[in-house]
Amino acid sequence: METTRTDRFKTAILLIAATGLIAGLVFYFSGRPEAANLIWIAGVVPALAALVVEILRSLRSGEVGLDIVAALSMSAALVFGETLAAAVVAVMYSGGTFLEAFAEGRARREMHDLLSRVPRTATRHRNGGLEEIPLDHIAPGDRLLIRQGDVVPVDGTVASETAFVDTSALTGESLPVRLAHGAEAMSGSTNAGEAFDLTATREAKDSTYAGIVRLVEEAQASKAPMSRLADRWSLGFLAVTVSMAFAAWWFTGDPIRAVAVLVVATPCPLILAVPVALVAGLSRAAHFGVLIKGAGPLETMARIRTLILDKTGTLTDGRPQIVSIDSHDGMAEDDILRLAAALDQASKHPVAQAIVAAAKARGFTLPVPSDVAEIPGEGVVGHVEGRKVIVGGDAFVASRVGRRPGDHSAIAAGSVLVAVAVDGRMAGHLVMSDPLRDGAGAMLDGLRGEGIARILLATGDRADVAERVTEGLGLDGLRAGLTPDQKVLLVLTERKNGPVMMVGDGVNDAPALAAADVGVAMGARGAAASAEAADVVLLVDRIDRLGPGIEIARGARRIAVESVVAGIGLSVMGMIAAAFGYLTPVQGALLQEVIDVAVILNALRALRIAPHEPTIPKPKAVSSGQDDIAQGATP
């Protein structure tokens, strides 16, 4: 509301100044110069008064900017009888502030789109019917109806057979994504297919989209170091402007030259270009699923030299996937998986949930287990369709069926072996592992091309597991067995080589993310603690989005610097020409407005930055149907 009132006030001031300028010109060319002067003064005074009030507010908050030059130029023009020049400056200055506000609004479009998509209500199944409820009334476990075109209100899992959702507003993915039964659906995505049911897993305030909204609001209120530096530079520019105007008056005795110098310096592209370019970069990054919490992190992101990656959930998928199914008693692999998954429905263990997800991805209908007993850290025992099933570690299951554990030394480091017994006999084993994310190698190569000098892996896992997973990636260093405190120490040590970026997804990564110059959290599934501590949140569960984010940050910063250098250079040249009498005050005002418009339009180029989109290879087919499992686990 406050922003709307401010924009309306700026529009009114611009209309008054423009009307005064045009009306004065009409009277001037009608042979009534005295009336024209009065009308021009009447058009300038409101703009000058508003400017003086703004300057006083800035001074009270300890900020000094080039608005003072605009006030000096209008005041000097009125004092020395250059009323037409004063009117032109009033129109140009009020027009410049209006254009700046319009450009920033244009630059924030993607962020406004995110905020405007917040749903207010949801449709819940209750007692065989449907009821419309406020978002705050949704509780985990509620079954919601998501109609075609509806925005998913909370994080949840698909309760229908399939769902098609459009995540383009969040992640930049242009095509709808197919989600199978039990797959996770991100709040803020749109139902692009038939209506489906969703089982809520979080309250609205704790869901992904609510967190995104909070982060966007923080980003909009931020100010970049480069913007603060521009404010400091503006003091120097102000001193140069006043000195040059005074010198032109002193050595020539012509005050009009001083007025012309002041007019050419109003307003400064230094102030206009930086916020427009950086906010445009924020919006562009959000379009590609990279939410940067402000212009400050974006600017720092553009200067990153060292990248530190966590392993589990960041460089790897973070969810165990089935590599192979070994049958020992002639039982079909599908039957082993189906019975194991049916029993594991009663367990919340991550490995058990991964087995359930893999079975559902294959389209299996899982019966409800009975007489279930879970031995924490060991396994689960129960009955499925009248058959006694045991699922757990190899030693645990082997002891339950009266046999010795087998020799599984050939299994790769870091793999998880799950044994399955049916009716007192060992039925088979599920071999599971946490694989490297698809396209991780290409992503790291792309980051090196963007100027990242060092890429390190920091993990709490064993060294042999980390080395196996990252083999062939060409990392500059691998630090294994680290505690959260040791990760922080690694970040602080690497900062001597330049700005450091840390990427992680778990609670244990939060201290390191906060210690890094730029912390990046995997926000789609990452822990809330890591998302809060991070400066950047990847809205989609794909680390390859990091490359486009850095590319956009560097492009936006480069455009901001180009705009400042070009704008200041042209302004100084114009001031020199005015000091030597080659520009009148009116000509100087028109020249400066041309410079300002060019600078703003150049800064808006950041909205058209087209980062290189990494190509993600399709997963290789394996005998256990891993393609289907992977697709089901990672929509």
Side-chain angles (χ1 to χ4, degrees), residues 34 41 210 321 334 395 419 463 606:
E34 297 82 3
I41 293 172
Q321 296 180 9
D334 285 353

Side-chain angles (χ1 to χ4, degrees), residues 138-341:
I138 299 175
D142 284 348
R143 191 180 179 101
L144 307 176
L145 174 66
I146 313 298
R147 300 183 180 91
Q148 186 175 25
D150 281 356
V151 174
V152 177
V154 296
D155 294 342
T157 57
V158 176
S160 301
E161 288 300 318
T162 59
F164 286 88
V165 296
D166 178 4
T167 63
S168 58
L170 300 175
T171 66
E173 296 284 354
S174 58
L175 298 176
V177 180
R178 178 184 179 276
L179 302 180
H181 178 81
E184 298 172 358
M186 186 191 302
S187 55
S189 54
T190 303
N191 181 10
E194 299 296 327
F196 67 91
D197 287 346
L198 179 86
T199 301
T201 56
R202 295 181 184 175
E203 296 180 2
K205 63 183 178 66
D206 297 325
S207 289
T208 300
Y209 200 65
I212 292 171
V213 171
R214 288 194 296 270
L215 297 181
V216 168
E217 290 170 345
E218 292 174 9
Q220 289 180 330
S222 70
K223 193 170 187 180
M226 190 173 180
S227 294
R228 292 192 289 268
L229 180 62
D231 293 339
R232 292 195 294 270
W233 286 350
S234 67
L235 291 175
F237 192 83
L238 173 61
V240 170
T241 300
V242 173
S243 299
M244 190 175 294
F246 182 77
W249 186 2
W250 177 268
F251 287 109
T252 66
D254 184 3
I256 303 304
R257 293 197 182 188
V259 174
V261 171
L262 293 173
V263 165
V264 173
T266 309
C268 180
L270 185 66
I271 297 176
L272 298 176
V274 173
V276 170
L278 296 185
V279 171
L282 292 176
S283 293
R284 190 60 175 160
H287 178 75
F288 284 88
V290 182
L291 186 60
I292 305 173
K293 291 186 182 179
L298 179 135
E299 187 188 341
T300 306
M301 196 173 176
R303 299 183 291 108
I304 290 299
R305 298 291 296 165
T306 301
L307 173 65
I308 301 176
L309 296 165
D310 177 46
K311 182 180 74 69
T312 304
T314 303
L315 201 57
T316 66
D317 183 68
R319 291 171 287 198
Q321 296 180 9
I322 296 176
V323 176
S324 63
I325 302 176
D326 300 327
S327 174
H328 300 309
D329 195 32
M331 181 177 288
E333 293 181 3
D334 285 353
D335 290 339
I336 295 174
L337 176 59
R338 189 177 68 86
L339 292 172

